Amino acid sequence: MGALTTCAVAVDVALATVRDGELQLLLVEPDAEGYGGTWALPGGRVGDDETLDDAARRILREHAGIDVTTRRDHLTHLEQLRTYGDPRRDARARVVSVAYLAFTPTDDLAPPRAGAAPRRFATVDELAGAGGETALAFDHDRIVPDAVERVRAKLEYTPLALAFVADPFTIGDLRAVYEAVWGQRLDPANFRRKVTSTRDFVVPTGAVAPPGPGGGRPARLFRRGTARALHPAMLRPDPD
Amino acid sequence: MGALTTCAVAVDVALATVRDGELQLLLVEPDAEGYGGTWALPGGRVGDDETLDDAARRILREHAGIDVTTRRDHLTHLEQLRTYGDPRRDARARVVSVAYLAFTPTDDLAPPRAGAAPRRFATVDELAGAGGETALAFDHDRIVPDAVERVRAKLEYTPLALAFVADPFTIGDLRAVYEAVWGQRLDPANFRRKVTSTRDFVVPTGAVAPPGPGGGRPARLFRRGTARALHPAMLRPDPD
DNA sequence: TCAATAGTGTCTTTTAGACATTATATG
DNA sequence: CATATAATGTCTAAAAGACACTATTGA
């Protein structure tokens, strides 16, 4: 049968954020031979004495300048997604890739380093076309749908929507995250009731945000609570 | 930093079943050096031209005589769990292990082959002790809790409880699966209503099962429906 | 004043859960 | 008959969802 003789282990990171009302993923130009002119999820080989989680954190730091830490005003979340190991997923050699998924607020990226690979954000709609308007390198077109579905599901039963906003935020800010990720309008009144009645999800700061240019009642500000799971869950409405 | 020079990719399979009213996992004696007298999840190296899924199916076939197919009377479910890659998880060499999770009805095992590794089932309670009554080889004590939690969660929002029973079954049989996996008693009346009112979860066959030795009304028989997700979900009661 | 956004109240429908009641078997 | 297990009925409480209404700002 022949156990694997040559083998490489890589980590690829789907970095998700919400910008301009849409869920978007970070792409970079792969530096690998034979993949010029295409885009890919940021990734790289796992180091000799490095854990998989450490490798994912390093990829995020190198490509996006993001440190995965829990800060006072926001958190960046990182979790393992799944592993892709088809023998032909990389044309050059057998590479088993452990995919990770990260959630971060928009504009948390450091400016690109000199000499760093070009990068951009792509909306998940843009990436969704089967065969796709944007065809990614390697098998990254297979990773993206798994990442998107995971993000959508996580918003149902965890407070991770909070990883897409910075403290403090309004209920409207949080609703905009849900609407962007799920691609659906939510009833503002019912959304507010659910969020504020779910224990330890958000806590009021007492302060209010100034209204927008067109006026409107000032919105109360909240910061993230301590909950690690939502009881009850925020269920996705059936797709219309 | 040094990308991985030596590297092996393995697959380990947590095979879950319900026997004697408890959730149990299949263990084997590892044939690796230095792990004599211990138990481990069945596993092995990934072949040179083999996908990860194929490797998991092969492990199941070799260690349990189980073919992962959808048959008329039952299904065996196999899914990827997560990947464990700490540099020191195997004392001998760096091995990245992709863990899989399988669901199968009890007594679906073929008899052990001549010369096959010794095997047994262990209840998850037996494996749960922190530091554990049964300490498993490698880092398999880290895989087991992830597997158990995944099984418990999957019963909430998928019809995979059906993978633990063979067609045809009674509502009582199905309830026994939930009670074993969740370790909680469920109200028979409310359970029946939820199961039968969830679309395409189970379908009546029209036949009935003979009652047990002590008598009782004969139970109606069902077979599994076509649903791939449960709407609404079967939520776990809060732990008492 | 009006338009815009934030927030509350209320009603209906659905679902969860407790628990009483009826049905059909064995001994 | 009693006992055991299956299945149904009923009531209450919680949650989801639709939508009217009030509150507070800018122009």
Side-chain angles (χ1 to χ4, degrees):
Chain A
M1 175 194 58
L4 268 179
T5 51
T6 333
C7 151
V9 178
V11 161
D12 291 306
V13 180
L15 173 68
T17 195
V18 172
R19 354 167 85 198
D20 308 323
E22 292 190 85
L23 179 61
Q24 307 203 12
L25 298 180
L26 181 67
L27 303 181
V28 300
E29 276 196 8
D31 56 358
E33 305 281 326
Y35 288 101
T38 64
W39 294 92
L41 301 176
R45 295 293 176 85
V46 176
D48 230 335
D49 197 46
E50 190 177 44
T51 68
L52 300 175
D53 286 7
D54 284 341
R57 278 186 280 262
R58 176 174 54 79
I59 297 293
L60 268 184
R61 200 167 49 240
E62 290 176 356
H63 285 91
I66 291 176
D67 279 310
V68 177
T69 53
T70 299
R71 300 208 313 228
R72 247 183 73 84
D73 62 335
H74 80 272
L75 78 172
T76 290
H77 171 78
L78 181 65
E79 68 180 45
Q80 196 181 299
L81 179 59
R82 71 168 279 152
T83 297
Y84 300 82
D86 275 13
R88 319 227 168 280
R89 60 173 291 282
D90 186 319
R92 301 161 299 168
R94 175 130 192 195
V95 180
V96 170
S97 168
V98 183
Y100 276 76
L101 176 61
F103 298 59
T104 199
T106 287
D107 300 324
D108 194 38
L109 269 68
R113 304 184 188 184
R119 69 186 189 195
R120 70 182 183 97
F121 279 98
T123 69
V124 299
D125 284 345
E126 182 185 350
L127 296 170
E133 299 139 55
T134 303
L136 300 181
F138 315 113
D139 60 349
H140 290 187
D141 282 320
R142 297 183 54 190
I143 300 177
V144 168
D146 293 344
V148 171
E149 177 50 32
R150 177 75 68 90
V151 175
R152 290 183 173 148
K154 280 271 170 173
L155 259 55
E156 292 195 273
Y157 54 92
T158 73
L160 284 177
L162 299 172
F164 290 124
V165 297
D167 286 347
F169 53 86
T170 68
I171 300 294
D173 294 336
L174 189 57
R175 180 164 51 85
V177 167
Y178 275 89
E179 291 180 337
V181 171
W182 287 346
Q184 303 212 355
R185 291 274 151 200
L186 301 176
D187 183 292
N190 295 331
F191 181 84
R192 160 180 302 277
R193 215 187 335 265
K194 277 163 85 167
V195 165
T196 53
S197 67
T198 299
R199 295 190 332 169
D200 301 321
F201 188 8
V202 300
V203 300
T205 64
V208 295
R217 177 172 172 174
R220 292 185 203 161
L221 289 169
F222 294 79
R223 51 188 169 74
R224 58 177 205 275
T226 56
R228 306 194 57 171
L230 301 186
H231 298 294
M234 302 276 303
L235 296 180
R236 264 181 276 191
D238 331 274
D240 297 317
Chain B
M1 171 195 60
L4 269 178
T5 51
T6 333
C7 150
V9 177
V11 160
D12 291 305
V13 180
L15 173 67
T17 196
V18 173
R19 353 167 84 198
D20 308 323
E22 291 191 85
L23 180 61
Q24 308 204 11
L25 298 179
L26 180 67
L27 303 181
V28 300
E29 276 196 7
D31 57 359
E33 306 279 327
Y35 288 101
T38 64
W39 293 91
L41 301 176
R45 295 292 175 86
V46 175
D48 229 336
D49 196 46
E50 191 177 43
T51 69
L52 301 174
D53 287 7
D54 284 341
R57 278 187 281 262
R58 175 174 55 78
I59 298 294
L60 268 184
R61 201 166 49 239
E62 289 175 357
H63 285 91
I66 291 177
D67 279 310
V68 177
T69 54
T70 300
R71 302 208 313 226
R72 248 183 73 83
D73 62 334
H74 80 272
L75 78 170
T76 290
H77 173 77
L78 181 65
E79 66 179 48
Q80 195 180 298
L81 178 60
R82 72 167 279 152
T83 296
Y84 300 82
D86 275 13
R88 318 227 168 280
R89 58 174 293 280
D90 186 320
R92 301 162 299 167
R94 174 130 194 197
V95 180
V96 170
S97 168
V98 184
Y100 277 76
L101 176 61
F103 298 58
T104 199
T106 286
D107 300 324
D108 194 37
L109 270 67
R113 304 183 187 186
R119 70 186 190 196
R120 70 180 182 97
F121 279 97
T123 69
V124 298
D125 284 346
E126 181 185 351
L127 296 170
E133 300 138 54
T134 303
L136 300 181
F138 313 112
D139 61 348
H140 290 187
D141 282 320
R142 298 183 53 191
I143 300 177
V144 168
D146 292 344
V148 171
E149 178 50 30
R150 177 76 66 90
V151 174
R152 289 181 173 149
K154 279 271 171 174
L155 259 55
E156 293 195 274
Y157 55 92
T158 72
L160 284 177
L162 299 173
F164 289 124
V165 296
D167 287 346
F169 53 85
T170 69
I171 300 295
D173 294 336
L174 189 57
R175 179 165 50 85
V177 167
Y178 275 89
E179 290 180 338
V181 171
W182 287 348
Q184 302 213 355
R185 291 274 151 200
L186 301 175
D187 182 291
N190 295 331
F191 180 84
R192 159 179 303 275
R193 214 190 334 267
K194 276 162 86 167
V195 165
T196 54
S197 68
T198 299
R199 296 190 331 168
D200 301 321
F201 188 8
V202 300
V203 300
T205 64
V208 295
R217 176 173 173 173
R220 291 183 202 162
L221 290 169
F222 294 79
R223 53 189 167 72
R224 59 178 203 276
T226 56
R228 306 195 57 172
L230 300 186
H231 301 292
M234 302 276 303
L235 296 179
R236 264 180 277 191
D238 330 274
D240 297 317

